[in-house]
Amino acid sequence: MNTMKLSLSTRRYARALLCLFCPLWLGGIAPVMAEGSRVIATGGASMIEGSAGGGIVPWAVINGYGSSDEWSATAMATGVYVDDFTLKVMGASLSYDNRFELSLARQTFDLDTLGGELGQDIVGFKYKLAGELLYTAMPQITLGAQYKKVDDFSLPQAVGARDDWGLDIYVAASKVFFDTVAGRNLLLNATVRVTKANQTGLLGFGTEASNDYHFMLEASAALLLTDNLALGIEYRQKPNELGFAREDYWQDIFLAWFINRHLSVVTAYADLGSIAGFDHQQGWYLSLEGTL
Amino acid sequence: MSCLRKFLPFATVRLITVLSISTALLAGCAQSDPNTPVSSANASPTTLYQALGGDSGVSDIVDGLLARIARDPRIVHHFDETDIAIFRERLIEHLCAVTDGGCAYQGENMADSHKGLNITQADFDVLVGHLIESMKEQHISTSTRNALLKRLAPMYSEVTYQ
């Protein structure tokens, strides 16, 4: 890790940190962005790629509490601390009409044991196609895209990645079932993603041998213990294309606390499997989100 | 039954149904609370209406809801032309019918009664939020609140954008 790279990443971090306050600034200039009308917890949290969802899976929900003709903005900071790696994410998003969502995420992946770091920027877009999370028999169905670009391609290229950027496209379906388990509401989500990303893109996209997209299945289930406390599990399939090391499916168990309409905290225990030759990467996930 | 719930704050409606079979145990307790809804002395299933507090409970929920609507500039304009007293009676009757309280709803159907009002998703969301808060104010349990929302949620498509 040379000094130049370090200072570059520090600058990026500072920028991302500044962006944490973007929504506050937006709130100042946009009186239309009053408190959103939707029911608490219906925006989910911000997952590691910046999109509204759980921790590792994007859901069909649109971030924040904006309903029809209303705006919403979020800012989040997330850390995932597993045995040999640390993933830090700063993100922000803007949504309108409970239909469109634009998100930005800046990921830094510290190779704690190996030394050095990887990083990528992600621009996400979501569009609600049909259904309503709470009110219709049809689940809320959303089309999403995530454009990803890694900072420095040298390590991903050295381990066999083809490109330093990629596009993930997914369709997600989410539905809340009222009064399901012990009178509690249950959220179920299923997401189908097409991707070329190795370790979500941190190790580049595609391989020297293959440039194919892969269909991946992701799922979440969460029980709303109270109106603002959700206990859930998530599961995310991932491609396993790089020859140098195995890539495993990811899973986690999370507890999300929607303190009020402006602040939420998600804690999780995550099992990320084998990463870059280090097996059994397990550890803690912590995410804070602010919403306008 | 509300007396019983004080001792069993986390009990589900179903659990209370089972427990209310032992009416002998309940009788003395129920008399201490004048607001207790009619207890199912013949061990018939407890209705959602009863879980909401029966006549007085549902009236209190509706009054809390109306007070919240009155204070909310986002939606109060929808009621400009509404006779609130009649609306209140119709809403109580509707909730009673929907929750197996034994009432026959006499009003127009949902789609007709909302025609031309241009109720948006945001309006509906606001109303759901106020209903939840009003039920919380009346100390309605999470499971009972969810049971009512389950029955009301499907009305979304008949109420909005008519």
Side-chain angles (χ1 to χ4, degrees):
Chain A
M1 216 62 230
N2 61 38
T3 323
M4 218 172 111
K5 257 189 216 158
L6 265 176
S7 76
L8 182 71
S9 79
T10 310
R11 273 211 310 279
R12 280 171 180 276
Y13 231 99
R15 266 215 315 272
L17 200 63
L18 270 177
C19 212
L20 206 64
F21 300 101
C22 288
L24 296 178
W25 170 72
L26 282 165
I29 58 159
V32 66
M33 203 187 286
E35 182 170 280
S37 299
R38 271 154 59 201
V39 174
I40 197 157
T42 53
S46 289
M47 43 92 57
I48 51 165
E49 287 153 325
S51 312
I56 58 172
V57 176
W59 298 350
V61 299
I62 302 293
N63 75 39
Y65 295 108
S67 188
S68 55
D69 297 322
E70 294 176 343
W71 290 88
S72 189
T74 66
M76 65 91 162
T78 298
V80 189
Y81 308 89
V82 294
D83 299 303
D84 297 291
F85 305 95
T86 305
L87 175 67
K88 292 174 191 152
V89 191
M90 293 283 190
S93 73
L94 195 61
S95 74
Y96 176 66
D97 200 31
N98 191 19
R99 183 163 296 274
F100 303 95
E101 174 188 302
L102 181 67
S103 60
L104 301 172
R106 162 79 202 142
Q107 292 184 337
T108 309
F109 191 61
D110 292 325
L111 313 173
D112 301 333
T113 304
L114 288 166
E117 68 173 37
L118 299 167
Q120 70 174 337
D121 296 307
I122 304 169
V123 181
F125 180 73
K126 242 186 212 188
Y127 175 74
K128 182 168 77 179
L129 297 170
E132 296 298 337
L133 180 71
L134 299 179
Y135 307 132
T136 60
M138 179 188 288
Q140 181 158 326
I141 297 171
T142 300
L143 177 68
Q146 294 168 341
Y147 168 82
K148 304 176 176 184
K149 174 104 169 45
V150 301
D151 303 341
D152 179 346
F153 193 47
S154 48
L155 179 62
Q157 191 168 35
V159 299
R162 176 185 287 256
D163 291 315
D164 66 349
W165 70 275
L167 188 66
D168 286 7
I169 295 173
Y170 61 88
V171 172
S174 303
K175 173 100 187 98
V176 166
F177 298 90
F178 288 106
D179 186 18
T180 307
V181 182
R184 267 52 186 177
N185 300 338
L186 177 71
L187 175 136
L188 294 181
N189 176 82
T191 302
V192 177
R193 181 193 299 253
V194 289
T195 183
K196 293 180 190 179
N198 306 309
Q199 292 293 6
T200 77
L202 290 162
L203 288 177
F205 304 83
T207 64
E208 290 303 336
S210 154
N211 198 29
D212 295 339
Y213 276 102
H214 301 274
F215 277 92
M216 293 293 141
L217 212 85
E218 303 171 16
S220 314
L223 193 64
L224 281 120
L225 303 175
T226 68
D227 293 329
N228 53 0
L229 198 63
L231 178 66
I233 52 170
E234 293 196 296
Y235 166 84
R236 176 170 172 167
Q237 286 187 338
K238 293 160 70 251
N240 178 25
E241 290 291 291
L242 285 179
F244 90 106
R246 193 178 81 244
E247 178 171 349
D248 285 332
Y249 299 165
W250 284 4
Q251 48 215 316
D252 69 57
I253 299 174
F254 68 85
L255 187 67
W257 180 24
F258 301 90
I259 299 166
N260 55 41
R261 285 155 164 276
H262 301 291
L263 189 63
S264 64
V265 185
V266 181
T267 56
Y269 190 74
D271 178 0
L272 307 185
S274 185
I275 297 177
F278 292 86
D279 288 343
H280 309 300
Q281 294 299 305
Q282 297 173 337
W284 294 98
Y285 171 109
L286 179 67
S287 183
L288 289 175
E289 181 176 296
T291 307
L292 273 181
Chain B
M1 205 180 73
S2 60
C3 166
L4 178 66
R5 190 157 305 169
K6 275 176 207 154
F7 299 101
L8 291 167
F10 302 112
T12 64
V13 175
R14 196 159 299 157
L15 178 58
I16 286 168
T17 308
V18 173
L19 288 168
S20 68
I21 292 169
S22 31
T23 43
L25 283 173
L26 273 176
C29 174
Q31 279 157 10
S32 67
D33 184 351
N35 291 327
T36 301
V38 182
S39 175
S40 48
N42 56 0
S44 66
T46 304
T47 63
L48 180 52
Y49 188 67
Q50 285 172 296
L52 288 166
D55 291 347
S56 66
V58 170
S59 298
D60 289 345
I61 291 165
V62 167
D63 288 340
L65 175 64
L66 291 174
R68 283 173 171 79
I69 292 169
R71 288 196 300 264
D72 194 331
R74 292 174 295 182
I75 57 169
V76 70
H77 63 275
H78 283 302
F79 296 84
D80 284 348
E81 309 289 318
T82 306
D83 183 324
I84 298 300
I86 293 175
F87 177 76
R88 178 179 179 275
E89 289 310 308
R90 283 280 175 268
L91 187 54
I92 289 170
E93 187 179 276
H94 192 217
L95 289 178
C96 170
V98 164
T99 58
D100 307 323
C103 307
Y105 176 61
Q106 307 286 336
E108 284 182 294
N109 70 45
M110 286 290 109
D112 288 343
S113 59
H114 292 88
K115 199 148 277 175
L117 292 179
N118 191 29
I119 307 288
T120 64
Q121 180 179 102
D123 297 331
F124 195 86
D125 279 326
V126 167
L127 199 74
V128 171
H130 286 329
L131 178 62
I132 291 170
E133 289 307 314
S134 183
M135 285 194 283
K136 278 183 170 176
E137 191 178 48
Q138 299 302 325
H139 308 292
I140 303 297
S141 72
T142 305
S143 56
T144 301
R145 281 191 275 124
N146 292 339
L148 180 61
L149 294 176
K150 182 182 193 168
R151 298 195 188 187
L152 297 180
M155 292 169 193
Y156 171 79
S157 44
E158 296 159 41
V159 168
T160 55
Y161 304 103
Q162 294 299 314

